[in-house]
Structures are given as C-alpha cells and as structure tokens.
Amino acid sequence: MIRIEVIAPADVDPAVHELISSAGATGYTSVAGVSGVGHSGLHNGPHRFNDQDALGMTITVLPAARAEPLIEALRELLEGGSGVVFITDTWVSRSQYFQ
C-alpha cells in the first residue's frame, strides 16, 4: 500500500480531493489550517479572515498499482505553485478497506 500526503494551499484542496477520488482511492482524510516551516518560510495555521491563504493536508492510502497515476497528476497540479507531496510505503491493519 502507498500513503500519499499532500500539503498545499487550501484553494487547491478540492482539486486534490477530485484527483484522489478519480484514482480510485476509497477515501481520504483532510486537515485544514496546517502550519509549519518550509523552504518559503513560516506558514501559520488558520487565518481568521482569509481561509484561502491557509494550508490544508490531505492523506490517502491506496494500492501501489493505482498510486503512480495519482502521483503524476498531483505533480502536474502543483507544478509552478506551492505544495508538497510525501509518498511512503505503508501497511494498514484492515487493508480490505483500501482495495
């Protein structure tokens, strides 16, 4: 199984969710208001008056056979903008839910 984590501007989240669904993933977890420090500096969590400047994180797990097309689509989506994709091999306790 492959775990894919996408951290990107909140306004990109709907497109990320659509790509994940289109790849045949059975679900995802979305976390709003992510904060941290990256190559472009500090990113704060939720913004009081402008949620479009906030970052979101989306996590999904899917079989390795379906991961590569999703990874490539995410690369294209984030090309030229901000965002990062983390890809890891993973094991899950109830793998039948992710088939």
Side-chain angles (χ1 to χ4, degrees):
M1 303 297 279
I2 302 295
R3 176 179 169 145
I4 298 174
E5 298 172 66
V6 182
I7 300 174
D11 62 341
V12 177
D13 283 348
V16 169
H17 299 165
E18 179 59 34
L19 288 173
I20 289 171
S21 296
S22 295
T26 59
Y28 58 82
T29 299
S30 186
V31 181
V34 177
S35 63
V37 177
H39 72 275
S40 62
L42 176 66
H43 294 278
N44 291 318
H47 296 274
R48 186 175 304 224
F49 300 109
N50 183 359
D51 64 348
Q52 295 304 303
D53 286 336
L55 294 177
M57 178 171 62
T58 304
I59 306 163
T60 192
V61 173
L62 68 166
R66 283 190 251 143
E68 193 56 44
L70 174 57
I71 293 165
E72 186 56 37
L74 290 167
R75 250 186 223 122
E76 290 176 18
L77 175 67
L78 299 176
E79 186 73 29
S82 64
V84 65
V85 178
F86 298 103
I87 305 154
T88 53
D89 289 325
T90 194
W91 289 265
V92 294
S93 62
R94 297 185 288 182
S95 61
Q96 68 273 18
Y97 290 149
F98 299 89
Q99 299 297 321

